[in-house]
Amino acid sequence: MSSLTVRRLLVWALSFALGFVVTYLIIVVGFPIVKPESAGITLEQYGFGYFIVSYIPIALIFVVWLDAFMGTGILPD
């Protein structure tokens, strides 16, 4: 595999990992800060479908930024 392919795979893997972590923290930590009665919310209570719908856009934001910083050319100029 070429170096560019490895960097592109790394961008996708890092983006989805960071997206998962950020979405999890928003749900478990952020929601109770904004609305204290939601303290103790879990991913099960939030819902799998809602988690995926929240997770994918956040991960794609990381794809855009990591693509720009790593110069992988996933997105056209």
Side-chain angles (χ1 to χ4, degrees):
M1 280 202 293
S2 69
S3 171
L4 184 61
T5 304
V6 171
R7 285 191 312 191
R8 286 181 177 174
L9 290 173
L10 186 62
V11 164
W12 284 106
L14 281 174
S15 296
F16 279 95
L18 287 170
F20 181 87
V21 169
V22 168
T23 305
Y24 179 80
L25 289 175
I26 287 172
I27 294 166
V28 175
V29 177
F31 285 0
I33 290 172
V34 174
K35 188 175 180 185
E37 35 304 336
S38 67
I41 191 169
T42 64
L43 291 181
E44 184 180 349
Q45 292 170 325
Y46 185 67
F48 180 72
Y50 291 121
F51 180 77
I52 295 298
V53 171
S54 304
Y55 164 60
I56 299 285
I58 292 172
L60 291 176
I61 291 170
F62 282 111
V63 169
V64 170
W65 282 102
L66 288 174
D67 176 51
F69 290 129
M70 294 179 74
T72 57
I74 293 172
L75 299 172
D77 290 332

